[in-house]
Amino acid sequence: MTSPAPPAGLGTPKRRIRVLIVDDSALVRSLLSDILATDPGIEVVGVAGDAHVAREKIKQLNPDVLTLDVEMPKMDGITFLRNLMRLRPMPVVMVSSLTERGADVTLDALALGAVDYLSKPRIDLAATLKNYGEELIEKIHAASRASVRALDPRRAAAIGAKTTYSTTVLLKVPMPKQQLRTTDRIIAIGASTGGTEAIKEVLMRLPPDAPGVVIAQHIPKAFSGAFAKRMNDCCDVMVCEAQDGQQVLAGHVYIAPGDKHLMVIRDGARYVCRLDDGEPVNRHKPSVDVLFRSVARNAGRNAIGALLTGMGKDGARGLKEMCNAGSRTIAQDEATSVVWGMPGEAVALGAVQHVLPLENLAAKILSLADAMDITRGTQEA
């Protein structure tokens, strides 16, 4: 008697993620290859020392994920990425130096469509290579599942055609205090993989008198200041890297520094930023859960929480706490997320009241804030 055929896919080995490493340093290429070779789900199909070799190897090897050096000879990583995302879009993880220059270039890369970024490995610090390897492998797996779209040529031309980002906010004249809304509403946003561009899409749609916004984005210390300056240059709201003790004001956005947890506490009738140098939570500092839990405890029904694209679970339990405390809660939908990890986990926990595409998030936040505006109908001071 013939045995029934096994269900489709049962017993069939899962195809390994095919990775091409592009870096001008032979030592870095070797190190990244050795790290990725330790994961049975990843296959390094090739390496390339510059963009021209990489272009040919992409045609020959058809990799699933690319790791790309930012600064390379013959053609820099940004120029190569711009062409790649326009002609042959694929998941790319940028490998960048954690410097001010590296931060600006990496943010350009994320705007062009790179899924994620990782610092250059510190070869002199062997003790940290284990953690580095775990992070690299995790990012490769996430990138292989990421949603990648072709880059519009007009947008591609505008990104990275170097503009000088202001280092101060002197050209942005803040609204006089008496014109700001008197309100105790607060908006808390969390994001990770794909989050820098998602946050930009939300902030660019907020008016100058929007409720105060606090943000935890998984980002290195060297990048958070540059990211805040970049957001300040393109938004109507005032954006800054959060400082300990700052009052959360309407029309202002406070982004957590890349090496500190950001919390919101009450000081009488005011909300105040509190920075904490404690241990990472969910392996992250800043952690979205830390921010959301502080907002749940100190703002409750006067708050709105939004969880955007990101890998992992950070923020899901914190958003559930916000929901339980009476906050309005929103998650970015799967179709517009680069990685639907964090928002997906929040949905699974029952923490989310509204699941929306990215382009609709700001409007929903504003409508929810308007509905809870305790000053409506009164004359503003």
Side-chain angles (χ1 to χ4, degrees):
M1 182 175 179
T2 305
S3 299
L10 187 64
T12 304
K14 186 178 179 181
R15 191 174 79 86
R16 292 193 289 174
I17 303 166
R18 296 166 56 83
V19 179
L20 176 65
I21 296 170
V22 185
D23 199 292
D24 67 337
S25 166
L27 187 58
V28 171
R29 294 197 300 270
S30 175
L31 183 58
L32 297 183
S33 297
D34 289 346
I35 290 171
L36 294 179
T38 65
D39 188 291
I42 296 174
E43 177 186 8
V44 177
V45 294
V47 297
D50 63 55
H52 297 288
V53 175
R55 183 174 55 195
E56 296 306 313
K57 291 206 172 185
I58 288 171
K59 295 176 185 176
Q60 297 167 10
L61 302 170
N62 193 31
D64 301 311
V65 179
L66 197 75
T67 71
L68 180 60
D69 189 8
V70 168
E71 296 183 356
M72 296 186 298
K74 299 182 183 178
M75 182 188 295
D76 66 88
I78 291 297
T79 301
F80 178 69
L81 180 67
R82 185 185 294 112
N83 293 334
L84 180 70
M85 298 308 292
R86 183 169 50 87
L87 302 172
R88 204 278 195 193
M90 62 181 295
V92 176
V93 175
M94 302 301 293
V95 180
S96 167
S97 59
L98 295 182
T99 62
E100 185 173 349
R101 158 76 181 159
D104 266 338
V105 174
T106 303
L107 291 169
D108 279 340
L110 295 173
L112 286 166
V115 172
D116 212 337
Y117 55 88
L118 194 67
S119 64
K120 285 274 191 179
R122 293 286 301 276
I123 300 150
D124 58 321
L125 295 177
T128 66
L129 283 181
K130 182 178 183 294
N131 291 337
Y132 182 89
E134 291 173 353
E135 185 179 8
L136 172 63
I137 288 168
E138 184 179 42
K139 287 179 184 285
I140 294 297
H141 278 279
S144 72
R145 301 188 299 269
S147 174
V148 177
R149 299 173 180 84
L151 181 67
D152 185 301
R154 290 169 297 179
R155 184 163 175 244
I159 298 168
K162 244 9 235 179
T163 54
T164 301
Y165 294 96
S166 69
T167 57
T168 69
V169 294
L170 294 178
L171 295 180
K172 296 188 75 171
V173 180
M175 297 169 60
K177 264 190 174 180
Q178 63 268 26
Q179 292 183 11
L180 291 174
R181 291 187 179 185
T182 303
T183 175
D184 61 356
R185 296 164 299 161
I186 194 167
I187 300 164
I189 298 175
S192 184
T193 313
T196 54
E197 285 302 296
I199 288 169
K200 177 182 177 182
E201 290 298 316
V202 174
L203 296 187
M204 286 184 67
R205 290 176 165 85
L206 296 183
D209 64 344
V213 181
V214 286
I215 296 176
Q217 159 75 41
H218 297 162
I219 199 166
K221 177 182 178 181
F223 288 12
S224 53
F227 176 52
K229 291 170 187 173
R230 184 173 289 219
M231 293 302 96
N232 188 67
D233 285 343
C234 67
C235 301
D236 289 333
V237 286
M238 302 280 290
V239 186
C240 67
E241 190 176 36
Q243 297 180 20
D244 192 59
Q246 274 183 308
Q247 183 180 350
V248 179
L249 298 171
H252 290 66
V253 178
Y254 308 86
I255 296 176
D259 60 344
K260 297 283 194 302
H261 292 302
L262 172 61
M263 298 180 291
V264 173
I265 64 170
R266 286 297 290 263
D267 179 12
R270 305 183 308 163
Y271 294 117
V272 174
C273 293
R274 176 67 70 230
L275 300 183
D276 182 78
D277 197 22
E279 293 298 314
V281 174
N282 303 321
R283 297 193 302 161
H284 295 290
K285 191 167 75 169
S287 162
V288 182
D289 267 339
V290 171
L291 175 62
F292 282 1
R293 284 169 177 160
S294 72
V295 173
R297 293 168 187 174
N298 293 291
R301 62 181 62 253
N302 293 327
I304 298 166
L307 194 54
L308 311 185
T309 174
M311 174 175 63
K313 301 180 179 182
D314 188 34
R317 292 190 180 278
L319 195 67
K320 178 65 172 173
E321 290 188 24
M322 287 187 65
C323 186
N324 291 344
S327 305
R328 284 69 163 174
T329 58
I330 304 171
Q332 185 177 350
D333 71 356
E334 185 171 8
T336 62
S337 293
V338 174
V339 178
W340 206 57
M342 288 157 49
E345 289 288 340
V347 170
L349 279 178
V352 181
Q353 297 164 344
H354 308 278
V355 181
L356 297 167
L358 178 61
E359 59 270 21
N360 295 343
L361 284 179
K364 187 64 176 180
I365 288 170
L366 292 170
S367 69
L368 290 173
D370 190 52
M372 60 198 281
D373 185 358
I374 62 172
T375 67
R376 179 193 280 178
T378 66
Q379 185 173 357
E380 294 179 356

mmCIF file of all heavy atoms in Angstrom, residues 282-312:
data_model
loop_
_atom_site.group_PDB
_atom_site.id
_atom_site.type_symbol
_atom_site.label_atom_id
_atom_site.label_comp_id
_atom_site.label_asym_id
_atom_site.label_seq_id
_atom_site.Cartn_x
_atom_site.Cartn_y
_atom_site.Cartn_z
ATOM 1 N N ASN A 282 14.526 44.764 26.741
ATOM 2 C CA ASN A 282 14.326 44.075 25.456
ATOM 3 C C ASN A 282 15.546 44.249 24.546
ATOM 4 O O ASN A 282 15.419 44.346 23.338
ATOM 5 C CB ASN A 282 13.069 44.588 24.732
ATOM 6 C CG ASN A 282 11.820 44.441 25.562
ATOM 7 O OD1 ASN A 282 11.638 43.455 26.255
ATOM 8 N ND2 ASN A 282 10.949 45.446 25.511
ATOM 9 N N ARG A 283 16.723 44.378 25.187
ATOM 10 C CA ARG A 283 18.010 44.566 24.497
ATOM 11 C C ARG A 283 18.156 45.944 23.876
ATOM 12 O O ARG A 283 19.057 46.168 23.064
ATOM 13 C CB ARG A 283 18.240 43.483 23.429
ATOM 14 C CG ARG A 283 18.330 42.081 23.994
ATOM 15 C CD ARG A 283 18.863 41.115 22.977
ATOM 16 N NE ARG A 283 18.038 41.090 21.787
ATOM 17 C CZ ARG A 283 18.458 40.617 20.616
ATOM 18 N NH1 ARG A 283 19.694 40.160 20.484
ATOM 19 N NH2 ARG A 283 17.668 40.601 19.581
ATOM 20 N N HIS A 284 17.289 46.873 24.239
ATOM 21 C CA HIS A 284 17.336 48.195 23.611
ATOM 22 C C HIS A 284 17.425 49.302 24.658
ATOM 23 O O HIS A 284 16.838 49.230 25.734
ATOM 24 C CB HIS A 284 16.091 48.427 22.748
ATOM 25 C CG HIS A 284 15.986 47.505 21.578
ATOM 26 N ND1 HIS A 284 16.829 47.588 20.492
ATOM 27 C CD2 HIS A 284 15.154 46.461 21.340
ATOM 28 C CE1 HIS A 284 16.505 46.642 19.623
ATOM 29 N NE2 HIS A 284 15.501 45.950 20.112
ATOM 30 N N LYS A 285 18.160 50.331 24.309
ATOM 31 C CA LYS A 285 18.233 51.575 25.080
ATOM 32 C C LYS A 285 18.459 52.705 24.089
ATOM 33 O O LYS A 285 19.569 52.812 23.582
ATOM 34 C CB LYS A 285 19.345 51.510 26.130
ATOM 35 C CG LYS A 285 19.282 52.656 27.128
ATOM 36 C CD LYS A 285 20.167 52.446 28.350
ATOM 37 C CE LYS A 285 21.622 52.659 28.018
ATOM 38 N NZ LYS A 285 22.477 52.722 29.234
ATOM 39 N N PRO A 286 17.430 53.478 23.763
ATOM 40 C CA PRO A 286 16.138 53.559 24.428
ATOM 41 C C PRO A 286 15.208 52.382 24.093
ATOM 42 O O PRO A 286 15.310 51.797 23.022
ATOM 43 C CB PRO A 286 15.544 54.857 23.881
ATOM 44 C CG PRO A 286 16.136 54.965 22.499
ATOM 45 C CD PRO A 286 17.541 54.438 22.648
ATOM 46 N N SER A 287 14.333 52.080 25.030
ATOM 47 C CA SER A 287 13.319 51.047 24.841
ATOM 48 C C SER A 287 11.953 51.701 24.704
ATOM 49 O O SER A 287 11.615 52.627 25.456
ATOM 50 C CB SER A 287 13.320 50.088 26.027
ATOM 51 O OG SER A 287 12.119 49.342 26.075
ATOM 52 N N VAL A 288 11.173 51.208 23.759
ATOM 53 C CA VAL A 288 9.808 51.727 23.576
ATOM 54 C C VAL A 288 8.937 51.342 24.760
ATOM 55 O O VAL A 288 8.105 52.128 25.219
ATOM 56 C CB VAL A 288 9.209 51.211 22.254
ATOM 57 C CG1 VAL A 288 7.812 51.796 22.043
ATOM 58 C CG2 VAL A 288 10.104 51.565 21.068
ATOM 59 N N ASP A 289 9.122 50.128 25.288
ATOM 60 C CA ASP A 289 8.338 49.711 26.454
ATOM 61 C C ASP A 289 8.537 50.664 27.625
ATOM 62 O O ASP A 289 7.578 51.004 28.330
ATOM 63 C CB ASP A 289 8.737 48.294 26.881
ATOM 64 C CG ASP A 289 7.851 47.219 26.255
ATOM 65 O OD1 ASP A 289 6.723 47.553 25.843
ATOM 66 O OD2 ASP A 289 8.279 46.058 26.174
ATOM 67 N N VAL A 290 9.766 51.085 27.864
ATOM 68 C CA VAL A 290 10.038 52.013 28.976
ATOM 69 C C VAL A 290 9.270 53.315 28.778
ATOM 70 O O VAL A 290 8.634 53.836 29.707
ATOM 71 C CB VAL A 290 11.552 52.283 29.095
ATOM 72 C CG1 VAL A 290 11.826 53.415 30.083
ATOM 73 C CG2 VAL A 290 12.288 51.016 29.543
ATOM 74 N N LEU A 291 9.314 53.865 27.562
ATOM 75 C CA LEU A 291 8.600 55.111 27.289
ATOM 76 C C LEU A 291 7.095 54.927 27.460
ATOM 77 O O LEU A 291 6.429 55.709 28.152
ATOM 78 C CB LEU A 291 8.908 55.600 25.873
ATOM 79 C CG LEU A 291 8.122 56.834 25.413
ATOM 80 C CD1 LEU A 291 8.432 58.043 26.290
ATOM 81 C CD2 LEU A 291 8.404 57.143 23.950
ATOM 82 N N PHE A 292 6.544 53.891 26.815
ATOM 83 C CA PHE A 292 5.098 53.692 26.847
ATOM 84 C C PHE A 292 4.594 53.445 28.275
ATOM 85 O O PHE A 292 3.529 53.931 28.660
ATOM 86 C CB PHE A 292 4.712 52.524 25.944
ATOM 87 C CG PHE A 292 4.679 52.860 24.471
ATOM 88 C CD1 PHE A 292 4.997 54.122 24.006
ATOM 89 C CD2 PHE A 292 4.331 51.886 23.535
ATOM 90 C CE1 PHE A 292 4.954 54.425 22.645
ATOM 91 C CE2 PHE A 292 4.284 52.175 22.179
ATOM 92 C CZ PHE A 292 4.599 53.443 21.728
ATOM 93 N N ARG A 293 5.350 52.681 29.067
ATOM 94 C CA ARG A 293 4.904 52.416 30.440
ATOM 95 C C ARG A 293 4.871 53.694 31.271
ATOM 96 O O ARG A 293 3.965 53.891 32.091
ATOM 97 C CB ARG A 293 5.830 51.380 31.080
ATOM 98 C CG ARG A 293 5.559 49.968 30.592
ATOM 99 C CD ARG A 293 6.625 48.987 31.012
ATOM 100 N NE ARG A 293 6.274 47.638 30.573
ATOM 101 C CZ ARG A 293 7.140 46.632 30.443
ATOM 102 N NH1 ARG A 293 8.418 46.834 30.758
ATOM 103 N NH2 ARG A 293 6.738 45.449 30.044
ATOM 104 N N SER A 294 5.863 54.556 31.056
ATOM 105 C CA SER A 294 5.868 55.818 31.805
ATOM 106 C C SER A 294 4.692 56.696 31.403
ATOM 107 O O SER A 294 4.082 57.368 32.245
ATOM 108 C CB SER A 294 7.193 56.560 31.581
ATOM 109 O OG SER A 294 7.280 57.107 30.278
ATOM 110 N N VAL A 295 4.337 56.677 30.123
ATOM 111 C CA VAL A 295 3.203 57.465 29.645
ATOM 112 C C VAL A 295 1.901 56.878 30.190
ATOM 113 O O VAL A 295 0.990 57.618 30.599
ATOM 114 C CB VAL A 295 3.192 57.524 28.106
ATOM 115 C CG1 VAL A 295 1.915 58.187 27.601
ATOM 116 C CG2 VAL A 295 4.412 58.286 27.592
ATOM 117 N N ALA A 296 1.801 55.545 30.217
ATOM 118 C CA ALA A 296 0.607 54.902 30.769
ATOM 119 C C ALA A 296 0.391 55.319 32.213
ATOM 120 O O ALA A 296 -0.741 55.638 32.628
ATOM 121 C CB ALA A 296 0.739 53.382 30.667
ATOM 122 N N ARG A 297 1.459 55.350 32.992
ATOM 123 C CA ARG A 297 1.342 55.632 34.422
ATOM 124 C C ARG A 297 1.142 57.111 34.724
ATOM 125 O O ARG A 297 0.506 57.461 35.712
ATOM 126 C CB ARG A 297 2.592 55.115 35.140
ATOM 127 C CG ARG A 297 2.687 53.595 35.107
ATOM 128 C CD ARG A 297 4.030 53.079 35.540
ATOM 129 N NE ARG A 297 4.127 51.632 35.325
ATOM 130 C CZ ARG A 297 5.230 50.922 35.512
ATOM 131 N NH1 ARG A 297 6.339 51.521 35.899
ATOM 132 N NH2 ARG A 297 5.225 49.616 35.300
ATOM 133 N N ASN A 298 1.662 57.979 33.866
ATOM 134 C CA ASN A 298 1.646 59.405 34.184
ATOM 135 C C ASN A 298 0.694 60.239 33.323
ATOM 136 O O ASN A 298 0.416 61.391 33.671
ATOM 137 C CB ASN A 298 3.059 59.978 34.072
ATOM 138 C CG ASN A 298 3.983 59.422 35.139
ATOM 139 O OD1 ASN A 298 3.829 59.719 36.319
ATOM 140 N ND2 ASN A 298 4.939 58.597 34.737
ATOM 141 N N ALA A 299 0.226 59.676 32.212
ATOM 142 C CA ALA A 299 -0.696 60.421 31.350
ATOM 143 C C ALA A 299 -2.022 59.692 31.157
ATOM 144 O O ALA A 299 -3.068 60.310 31.033
ATOM 145 C CB ALA A 299 -0.047 60.720 29.998
ATOM 146 N N GLY A 300 -1.968 58.368 31.088
ATOM 147 C CA GLY A 300 -3.195 57.575 30.997
ATOM 148 C C GLY A 300 -4.112 57.983 29.876
ATOM 149 O O GLY A 300 -3.730 57.989 28.705
ATOM 150 N N ARG A 301 -5.341 58.364 30.234
ATOM 151 C CA ARG A 301 -6.355 58.662 29.220
ATOM 152 C C ARG A 301 -6.083 59.964 28.473
ATOM 153 O O ARG A 301 -6.783 60.284 27.514
ATOM 154 C CB ARG A 301 -7.739 58.705 29.852
ATOM 155 C CG ARG A 301 -7.944 59.774 30.901
ATOM 156 C CD ARG A 301 -9.363 59.714 31.488
ATOM 157 N NE ARG A 301 -9.611 58.442 32.152
ATOM 158 C CZ ARG A 301 -10.403 57.484 31.651
ATOM 159 N NH1 ARG A 301 -11.003 57.655 30.489
ATOM 160 N NH2 ARG A 301 -10.597 56.380 32.317
ATOM 161 N N ASN A 302 -5.076 60.722 28.868
ATOM 162 C CA ASN A 302 -4.723 61.947 28.145
ATOM 163 C C ASN A 302 -3.665 61.704 27.072
ATOM 164 O O ASN A 302 -3.119 62.655 26.520
ATOM 165 C CB ASN A 302 -4.197 63.000 29.126
ATOM 166 C CG ASN A 302 -5.281 63.493 30.064
ATOM 167 O OD1 ASN A 302 -6.443 63.574 29.682
ATOM 168 N ND2 ASN A 302 -4.906 63.797 31.285
ATOM 169 N N ALA A 303 -3.362 60.434 26.798
ATOM 170 C CA ALA A 303 -2.270 60.110 25.871
ATOM 171 C C ALA A 303 -2.754 59.294 24.680
ATOM 172 O O ALA A 303 -3.788 58.619 24.728
ATOM 173 C CB ALA A 303 -1.173 59.347 26.609
ATOM 174 N N ILE A 304 -1.958 59.378 23.616
ATOM 175 C CA ILE A 304 -2.141 58.556 22.418
ATOM 176 C C ILE A 304 -0.823 57.839 22.179
ATOM 177 O O ILE A 304 0.242 58.462 22.169
ATOM 178 C CB ILE A 304 -2.501 59.414 21.193
ATOM 179 C CG1 ILE A 304 -3.820 60.150 21.418
ATOM 180 C CG2 ILE A 304 -2.561 58.561 19.921
ATOM 181 C CD1 ILE A 304 -4.069 61.259 20.430
ATOM 182 N N GLY A 305 -0.874 56.525 21.978
ATOM 183 C CA GLY A 305 0.321 55.742 21.686
ATOM 184 C C GLY A 305 0.275 55.200 20.275
ATOM 185 O O GLY A 305 -0.763 54.700 19.837
ATOM 186 N N ALA A 306 1.388 55.310 19.562
ATOM 187 C CA ALA A 306 1.468 54.794 18.186
ATOM 188 C C ALA A 306 2.725 53.947 18.052
ATOM 189 O O ALA A 306 3.829 54.425 18.336
ATOM 190 C CB ALA A 306 1.486 55.944 17.180
ATOM 191 N N LEU A 307 2.560 52.698 17.623
ATOM 192 C CA LEU A 307 3.685 51.788 17.434
ATOM 193 C C LEU A 307 3.877 51.557 15.947
ATOM 194 O O LEU A 307 2.982 51.064 15.258
ATOM 195 C CB LEU A 307 3.429 50.468 18.164
ATOM 196 C CG LEU A 307 4.609 49.526 18.356
ATOM 197 C CD1 LEU A 307 5.788 50.226 19.027
ATOM 198 C CD2 LEU A 307 4.198 48.307 19.171
ATOM 199 N N LEU A 308 5.062 51.922 15.456
ATOM 200 C CA LEU A 308 5.349 51.861 14.028
ATOM 201 C C LEU A 308 6.225 50.658 13.699
ATOM 202 O O LEU A 308 6.572 49.867 14.572
ATOM 203 C CB LEU A 308 6.026 53.162 13.580
ATOM 204 C CG LEU A 308 5.370 54.478 14.000
ATOM 205 C CD1 LEU A 308 6.103 55.661 13.382
ATOM 206 C CD2 LEU A 308 3.894 54.500 13.640
ATOM 207 N N THR A 309 6.590 50.557 12.452
ATOM 208 C CA THR A 309 7.393 49.462 11.923
ATOM 209 C C THR A 309 8.599 49.152 12.802
ATOM 210 O O THR A 309 9.230 50.058 13.344
ATOM 211 C CB THR A 309 7.861 49.803 10.493
ATOM 212 O OG1 THR A 309 8.763 48.797 10.018
ATOM 213 C CG2 THR A 309 8.571 51.146 10.438
ATOM 214 N N GLY A 310 8.919 47.874 12.934
ATOM 215 C CA GLY A 310 10.082 47.514 13.739
ATOM 216 C C GLY A 310 10.188 46.019 13.965
ATOM 217 O O GLY A 310 9.189 45.301 13.977
ATOM 218 N N MET A 311 11.408 45.564 14.156
ATOM 219 C CA MET A 311 11.705 44.161 14.393
ATOM 220 C C MET A 311 11.604 43.862 15.881
ATOM 221 O O MET A 311 12.035 44.662 16.713
ATOM 222 C CB MET A 311 13.112 43.863 13.880
ATOM 223 C CG MET A 311 13.649 42.486 14.166
ATOM 224 S SD MET A 311 15.264 42.260 13.375
ATOM 225 C CE MET A 311 16.247 43.503 14.221
ATOM 226 N N GLY A 312 11.039 42.716 16.236
ATOM 227 C CA GLY A 312 10.992 42.290 17.619
ATOM 228 C C GLY A 312 9.672 42.594 18.303
ATOM 229 O O GLY A 312 8.631 42.742 17.654
#
